[in-house]
Amino acid sequence: MITSAEQQHLDASLRLLIERCRSLTIDDLNSRAIITARHSLLDWFGCAVAGANEPAARRFRGIMDPAPGDTPLIGTPDSLHWRDALVINAFNGHLLDFDDMLPSFSGHPSAVVVPALLTVGEQTGAGVDKLLTALVVGTEVGDWVASHVLPGHYDAGWHATGTLGTFAAAAAVCHLRGLSHDEWISALDAAATQAAGLKAMFGTLAKPMHAGNASQAGVVAASLSTITSSSGRALNGETGFISNYRGAGTVPPARREGFAIEGMLYKTYASCFMTQAAVDAGAQAATLPGLDRALITLSVSPKLADVCAIEDPRTSNDAKFSLHATFALSALGFDLSTEEAFHPDNLQDPAYQDLRERITLRFDPELAGQEPRIGVHIRRARGESWDTTVDRGQPATDLAAREKQLVQKFTRLVEPHLGATRTRLASDLILHSSRTTIPELTAATTQPLIPETTI
Amino acid sequence: MITSAEQQHLDASLRLLIERCRSLTIDDLNSRAIITARHSLLDWFGCAVAGANEPAARRFRGIMDPAPGDTPLIGTPDSLHWRDALVINAFNGHLLDFDDMLPSFSGHPSAVVVPALLTVGEQTGAGVDKLLTALVVGTEVGDWVASHVLPGHYDAGWHATGTLGTFAAAAAVCHLRGLSHDEWISALDAAATQAAGLKAMFGTLAKPMHAGNASQAGVVAASLSTITSSSGRALNGETGFISNYRGAGTVPPARREGFAIEGMLYKTYASCFMTQAAVDAGAQAATLPGLDRALITLSVSPKLADVCAIEDPRTSNDAKFSLHATFALSALGFDLSTEEAFHPDNLQDPAYQDLRERITLRFDPELAGQEPRIGVHIRRARGESWDTTVDRGQPATDLAAREKQLVQKFTRLVEPHLGATRTRLASDLILHSSRTTIPELTAATTQPLIPETTI
């Protein structure tokens, strides 16, 4: 339960947030926010095109038995009725678990917000600038809710992408549709009453479905606010969302400059976010002489013990959640940005097994709260040692370098499905166009814009 | 958090429940359970036909922008794509808030289960016997989950129809589709991870939408279990549903004989469930000589203070949540089974106002936990007093009398939309047929079976 003083504080803070967000246009955004929104858009499209062509995506589509319609299914030549397209696009975008991540949100806001905006934007004919602004706004509002329930919310077992994503999608759609202040309040209430998703389902197809459900719930919440109104109690009330979903360990929200989206992180490698630093560290260590007999100690947060500490994984998926495997594969020169690197055969290779056995994991309490960070200590045969630290918890400062990496990732994910030319056109459109409409954007990743052979 | 001993106990209990439910056929049910299932089916259809023709139902359908398809929309000549039909049918059935209620579940299981079964049954071609059995099974499993989280779950602010209804729908569909034990477990996990709905949204159109969302989530959960599996941890695990959604005041589950559905209660009057006894008491008091100057004391549970204690309501909807108004209108001879009785004009009538002002509400702590019960004390002018108690918290013992009442209610709700002949045919079919298929059943409440004029 929350006190009435706390409610008043929440109400006032939310009112200010909505006022600030409602009137926001692309001109109010700093370039770091705009570029990051474009990077998230690019990253989402890449994941969605590749995801749509996975066998699991076909199975999910099968059980949803969708209706045909006008909303494009990204990465395919098909279009479906809006609600089916929305759920399946959002599912596909999160299926590979390769999309962006916002630490202050403990999850993947774009996975929920982008497909909601594409669906609604398909109907409203909005352009890319509006889409980017709404993505910034959705992330901002999702982050506001997150700041009032995290870390207890995530620690208690809720999957923030599913729960908090609902608010992010609802707010983004409210912005895109230009709804009134009261409608925003009602929409966030309607999001609160639909928020669901448990971490206990990680490792199953329910995880990407959480993104689909949250995306759908967010769009429906925004629409519902136009036919029924409420006063914010489902979000801020005595027995509303914040009260019921914040678990035990709530802390006062952190103050922050700029826009929440500026904190976005991107995966370079097709493994768990918390192993990304291990892959970078492995690549650095690869050049060390004498690595083939060295003893390696990886220091990480104790919170990773039940996240990615599988010592001797045998399947591809387990390898993605193994600090041992990701460091060792990377140190042996495998390119972990591709699925192939995680092939079970590679996990049987004697050189890999030899290296893996020389790795010790050390849980360092001082790294608690800094999960994307890894400390590496390598002691070589003659007693020489080498130390490095890699922190993947901070957003990139060099945005051009990040963009280059993200275009490479996009190309790897999309080219097999759309061909080289269309892949290049799509990434150019997403990164550089501001007049393009959403239907043009989605067409670039579904129907061919220009037949491949005529270029 | 729940302990591992508690988890083991829950796992074992759930395993037994699923084994018992999976193999259940109509021949295993006692006649009270079968008749009650038919009564719930009749009651749901009546509410859904009337609900579908309300302006709010049209507005909700508008925002859902549904796809056409093969699944009938009850109470209309239309049919929609399965997921749209499911959500909208469930919304319509709960829109009037006039449907059945199960105290041990703190909500309306049929509102969620029946539309799910009609949708899936439309595809599988199941008959009424299978439908009734699956409704009993869904109610049973929903009640099992309820017994492990109530009363804390409801007190903390969750709307059980939305949250627990998801499990009831999932289990009913698992039964109808004949899924394996492991698929049941996975389906209940997939229900757990989609369960949502807050009481803070009571009084808005989100309340009937909770039934729609839960119904949809239940059907999707059952389907998802056929393409991805999990081990029960989202329901019974350390940070699963039971652990996270049980609020503070959990008590050990009550032991019960027979089937949960046998405890079902039905509304006779179009007002809040907790005012039903006041209406009955008012009708009894109507015959008392000297009522026009008597002083009336109504004794109820203190828990009704924020449920139905509006002293001087001015709108129809407020009157439905007023013990004063429902008792007084009934005592003055209005028929509260009709919407018209609650017309604001009646609330301005001098005789009504005079009677209402002589009513005192007394909150009696001894009635806590017995909310559907009312004590009436009437002191007449010459000091004579009259006392009665009405308890609407016990299921009817005379099932034939209940059936008669429910047929009357069904007729009042359905006749304006389907005409007298089709209304009679529909109630006969629902109450007496066992070979009828689900498509025949839904056709009886959508497309004309026999043109009205030829009979």
Side-chain angles (χ1 to χ4, degrees), chain B residues 288-312:
Chain B
L288 282 187
L291 187 69
D292 56 344
R293 278 172 299 155
L295 295 177
I296 299 148
T297 305
L298 305 178
S299 300
V300 296
S301 158
K303 289 198 178 184
L304 300 192
D306 58 356
V307 176
C308 51
I310 302 175
E311 198 168 325
D312 185 14

Side-chain angles (χ1 to χ4, degrees), chain A residues 44 61 71 85 87 119 278 381 416:
Chain A
W44 183 86
R61 183 173 167 172
T71 310
V87 170
T119 298

Side-chain angles (χ1 to χ4, degrees), chain A residues 217-257:
Chain A
V219 174
V220 170
S223 295
L224 195 74
S225 77
T226 65
I227 64 166
T228 197
S229 67
S230 56
S231 58
R233 291 283 77 85
L235 175 53
N236 290 339
E238 203 180 6
T239 55
F241 179 86
I242 289 179
S243 169
N244 278 355
Y245 286 74
R246 65 180 170 182
T250 309
V251 293
R255 294 194 63 85
R256 177 176 41 72
E257 297 296 313

